[in-house]
Amino acid sequence: MFHKLLIANRGEIACRIIKTCRALGVRTAAVYSEADRDALHVRMADESHLIGAAPPAESYLSIKRLIDACRRCGAEAVHPGYGFLSEQAPFAEACEAAGLVFIGPAPETLRMAGDKILSREEAERAKIPIIPGAVPGGDDLEAWRAEADRLGCPLLVKAAAGGGGRGMRRVDSAEELEGAIAAARNEARIAFGDDRLYLEKVLLAARHVEVQIFGDGKGFAIHLGERECSIQRRHQKVFEESPAPNLDPGLREKILAAAVRLAEKMSYRGAGTVEYLLAENGDFYFLEVNARLQVEHPVTEMVTGLDLVALQLQIAAEGKLPITQKDVRLSGHAVEARLYAEDPARDFLPQTGTVRAVHFPDGEGVRVDTGVSPGAVVGADYDALQAKLIAHGADRNAAASRLADALAELRIAGLRTNQAFLTAIAEHPAFCAGNLTTDFLEIHADDLSGEIPEANMEDARIAAAFALYLSAREGGVPRRVRTAGDSQPDPWDRPGGWLPGGAA
Amino acid sequence: MSDLRFEGWEAEISPRGGTTYAVTIGGRERKVRLLSWEEGLLSLEILNESGSRTVHAVAEARGDRVEVTLAGRRAAFPLDADAAAAEGGAASGASAGPVRAELPGRVLEILVREGDLVEGGQVLAVVEAMNMEHPVRAGAPARVGKIHAEVGAQLQPGDVLLDLLPEEGSP
């Protein structure tokens, strides 16, 4: 095993990786930007290194600064977490060139997974159904029109270099096609420096289900079951769970086997995820390969009892899988909710602020992965994800009920979050019944305001009155009274956030 | 004794010695014990005829309102004095003028063209900030003026995305 690992990330995932390293006796080196001097991951690591200014391009996305930090501290390996450079082949190559072990797939795997046209072809070769689509190529509008006619609307124009819902345009009628191609091409050129596009049919009432895979990099792979991730808002997952509820056992076997087949064909190394869309009629389609540890990996950990980061490190250190398929046993059910700094009451506007106080739930079967502690400053430079609440139970009802309790117990002051939205989802009858499709949040939008119900309104009014009373009366009350009475205008405190007429 | 005026309701809190207070809302008085109050986290024991219940909440005064989180759910209670002004401001400021970025973000999509007539609530553009997509909406009916930013542009707070012009003829 490695003596020292550098974590090229921040926030909850950096903290989560440190926990496993401690258990394995691996020393950890954190990196941080000027905005993260006091961040939890810096305090948790054995050592830490300043790598630059707050904007990601000058710190967490700077390959040069990360490699320099590794050299400075003598790390042998780098864990990229998710996001940032985790799926960037040039980073994996730079690590290898510097004699560092990159905890992740080979650079060529990252390139293939990052190119959605190549991934589709690879999936086809592994005999996995792909979503009906076409790659007309070039600017021949007639060829695009012919393919669009053949496939039929609604369609998506997608960027080859996109993925995770980025770089795509929906086409609902033939006359929208030309504009969508132009817009998507422009956007893809700017965002990815690669303007290749393809067409894909939109699947309605589909489910998003994915399979966790691990490969040894030499053609052997296993799966760790599936995750249901249909509850999404604007391509961001909000709830995930394992196993997928109400999934036909035959279909489940097929998607698990197909994921392992693809991983073996690719000689996949380390942790990865094969994403699928499941159609209403029982058909399944390959969506993409995520060549990294996923945000939602804890639900898999809770049902398998395995530590996925430990598996990643063991594969990287020893060059082989420490377990076989029959060592993977699923027990019970786990559900995760993602706490984002965003305000559902204002169109989900991302929120910044300083966390003044926080109480995380700690009930039976509950796990919280977070990078937040009291005093944490949440700025606009980084991801809005602040914490993941994960609950495990003997069955889905038990897990969902524990998650709802955990959401009710969570208290965070100083930063607006989507907590009330999450609570409303966890308590929604359709969620409790396991009726999940990717349009869940649109269908049920009217039920998800997360308003305090009338039965609790008197308590809420008493609490509001006390907050005002105590704020106005510093000192003379039990415990500390500080800035609650702060009546300075909140800079984000406008009805829409991004609003016409706003003062500069 | 203290009068606390919210929009549509009032509360009165009087100390009753130690950590106990009398709280009157809507003519109904309750005895409440203040268990803890720390940086916005508030714990109360509300006494009634047959016993008591404990309430753990987040309660924060934010500008013109108090926001409360209770059992994972949320409510906002506007303050009486500022309520009218805040409402008027939102209604009049939203119809026309430059649409500015309030967070650093990247323009993902612009869904309108110069000269378009837009309705209140219509999505004008989609901006990505903190890795989240956020729709930018028109506050009221308006005509789209000059579009200043293009897709892919990185905006800083205060940068103008596009102009909205007042639309006289709209209902």
Side-chain angles (χ1 to χ4, degrees):
Chain A
M1 188 43 67
F2 308 109
H3 295 290
K4 191 188 281 186
L5 176 84
L6 183 133
I7 299 158
N9 215 301
R10 65 181 299 283
E12 68 89 13
I13 193 62
C15 298
R16 187 259 165 273
I17 293 165
I18 291 169
K19 283 183 186 164
T20 290
C21 289
R22 280 182 183 164
L24 296 178
V26 176
R27 280 186 62 84
T28 51
V31 293
Y32 63 98
S33 73
E34 282 163 12
D36 279 339
R37 281 178 190 281
D38 302 319
L40 188 59
H41 77 280
V42 175
R43 278 181 275 145
M44 279 178 65
D46 294 316
E47 59 184 86
S48 59
H49 301 272
L50 176 66
I51 51 165
E58 294 168 45
S59 47
Y60 300 105
L61 287 176
S62 168
I63 292 176
K64 183 184 176 304
R65 289 174 198 206
L66 288 163
I67 301 286
D68 284 350
C70 289
R71 289 217 173 92
R72 270 207 309 278
C73 73
E76 305 159 74
V78 179
H79 197 306
Y82 55 71
F84 291 128
L85 293 168
S86 60
E87 292 169 280
Q88 296 296 314
F91 183 52
E93 283 163 346
C95 288
E96 285 178 8
L100 299 158
V101 177
F102 174 80
I103 310 293
E108 53 270 29
T109 307
L110 295 176
R111 281 213 176 79
M112 199 285 286
D115 185 321
K116 302 309 156 190
I117 293 175
L118 288 182
S119 316
R120 273 171 65 93
E121 290 166 3
E122 186 76 13
E124 263 195 307
R125 279 194 292 274
K127 308 243 178 320
I128 305 179
I130 56 172
I131 299 171
V135 190
D139 283 325
D140 180 3
L141 193 62
E142 283 316 306
W144 280 87
R145 284 214 179 100
E147 292 293 0
D149 278 351
R150 182 177 66 82
L151 294 164
C153 288
L155 290 167
L156 289 171
V157 177
K158 297 173 94 170
R166 296 162 136 228
M168 59 192 210
R169 291 282 174 139
R170 193 178 154 120
V171 177
D172 284 305
S173 63
E175 48 281 15
E176 291 173 16
L177 182 67
E178 188 175 355
I181 293 169
R185 215 181 271 293
N186 183 38
E187 192 179 321
R189 190 182 304 120
I190 295 162
F192 312 115
D194 174 355
D195 67 359
R196 289 173 305 131
L197 303 175
Y198 65 105
L199 266 180
E200 213 171 71
K201 193 145 176 66
V202 173
L203 294 182
L204 301 167
R207 291 171 69 177
H208 176 121
V209 176
E210 60 187 30
V211 176
Q212 176 70 51
I213 50 158
F214 272 90
D216 64 358
K218 297 163 189 162
F220 177 64
I222 59 170
H223 71 78
L224 271 61
E226 82 284 5
R227 291 184 291 259
E228 159 79 54
C229 312
S230 293
I231 301 185
Q232 310 183 350
R233 194 191 69 79
R234 298 196 78 95
H235 320 309
Q236 282 280 4
K237 293 167 185 167
V238 181
F239 270 63
E240 300 102 341
E241 58 187 283
S242 183
N246 308 328
L247 183 61
D248 174 71
L251 177 57
R252 180 171 184 271
E253 283 312 313
K254 277 191 212 163
I255 64 168
L256 294 173
V260 170
R261 203 160 64 232
L262 180 63
E264 294 193 333
K265 199 161 174 39
M266 293 166 70
S267 291
Y268 196 94
R269 182 181 77 205
T273 296
V274 180
E275 294 192 333
Y276 299 100
L277 280 180
L278 308 191
E280 239 175 335
N281 64 3
D283 288 343
F284 73 99
Y285 300 98
F286 170 82
L287 198 56
E288 60 189 50
V289 174
N290 293 138
R292 59 162 192 276
L293 186 69
Q294 296 271 86
V295 174
E296 59 271 26
H297 75 277
V299 293
T300 298
E301 295 189 319
M302 290 191 94
V303 294
T304 59
L306 296 167
D307 179 330
L308 270 56
V309 173
L311 288 175
Q312 286 187 295
L313 297 180
Q314 284 160 349
I315 292 165
E318 294 151 26
K320 61 180 200 299
L321 281 174
I323 53 169
T324 63
Q325 189 65 61
K326 68 176 190 320
D327 297 321
V328 180
R329 291 196 190 85
L330 305 185
S331 163
H333 200 101
V335 189
E336 172 179 283
R338 297 192 189 186
L339 187 76
Y340 289 112
E342 62 180 13
D343 188 354
R346 290 182 196 77
D347 248 341
F348 295 89
L349 183 72
Q351 300 288 302
T352 57
T354 300
V355 175
R356 295 164 52 215
V358 62
H359 168 82
F360 284 116
D362 56 2
E364 173 83 15
V366 172
R367 162 175 166 182
V368 177
D369 281 17
T370 185
V372 165
S373 58
V377 177
V378 176
D381 284 305
Y382 309 119
D383 201 281
L385 181 67
Q386 301 305 315
K388 303 180 307 206
L389 275 61
I390 312 106
H392 182 259
D395 56 28
R396 186 171 189 272
N397 285 341
S401 153
R402 280 178 173 168
L403 182 68
D405 289 349
L407 284 163
E409 191 186 336
L410 170 71
R411 290 192 293 161
I412 181 161
L415 179 71
R416 286 199 190 99
T417 70
N418 64 341
Q419 180 185 1
F421 181 63
L422 298 178
T423 305
I425 295 168
E427 293 176 357
H428 196 279
F431 173 75
C432 295
N435 293 332
L436 310 177
T437 48
T438 51
D439 51 4
F440 181 94
L441 295 178
E442 286 159 44
I443 296 172
H444 302 294
D446 292 345
D447 308 335
L448 301 175
S449 71
E451 278 284 310
I452 293 173
E454 196 47 47
N456 287 343
M457 259 325 212
E458 191 196 349
D459 290 357
R461 287 203 174 91
I462 292 172
F466 261 96
L468 205 57
Y469 172 79
L470 296 169
S471 304
R473 208 196 74 171
E474 290 235 15
V477 286
R479 300 283 190 102
R480 288 177 282 162
V481 175
R482 280 187 191 163
T483 53
D486 192 347
S487 60
Q488 284 181 354
D490 180 340
W492 314 118
D493 205 0
R494 287 180 199 154
W498 299 69
L499 255 198
Chain B
M1 197 183 86
S2 174
D3 284 328
L4 306 158
R5 295 173 58 216
F6 292 86
E7 188 186 289
W9 61 283
E10 285 182 22
E12 197 181 300
I13 295 182
S14 314
R16 286 285 187 267
T19 57
T20 306
Y21 296 79
V23 181
T24 309
I25 294 175
R28 184 169 183 192
E29 188 185 290
R30 295 208 166 276
K31 266 210 183 87
V32 176
R33 220 171 265 149
L34 178 59
L35 302 178
S36 71
W37 165 246
E38 189 175 340
E39 303 287 350
L41 303 193
L42 176 68
S43 293
L44 301 169
E45 186 184 6
I46 300 171
L47 310 175
N48 54 38
E49 299 73 21
S50 55
S52 71
R53 63 181 185 274
T54 306
V55 172
H56 301 289
V58 184
E60 298 183 277
R62 282 177 174 265
D64 60 357
R65 71 195 126 149
V66 177
E67 293 181 6
V68 175
T69 300
L70 189 66
R73 291 174 174 266
R74 195 167 87 163
F77 299 103
L79 301 181
D80 184 52
D82 302 312
E87 257 181 24
S92 64
S95 60
V99 178
R100 293 180 191 277
E102 301 218 7
L103 284 170
R106 194 167 64 87
V107 181
L108 288 184
E109 286 183 63
I110 294 176
L111 301 163
V112 292
R113 289 179 209 179
E114 290 180 9
D116 279 1
L117 204 57
V118 295
E119 292 166 21
Q122 185 174 334
V123 179
L124 306 170
V126 179
V127 177
E128 182 190 83
M130 297 169 76
N131 285 351
M132 307 294 280
E133 291 183 15
H134 175 67
V136 180
R137 295 176 194 276
R143 191 172 289 281
V144 178
K146 187 168 171 46
I147 295 177
H148 297 271
E150 56 181 34
V151 169
Q154 188 68 42
L155 301 179
Q156 293 305 316
D159 287 355
V160 179
L161 185 60
L162 51 81
D163 291 325
L164 285 184
L165 310 171
E167 187 49 36
E168 300 294 336
S170 56

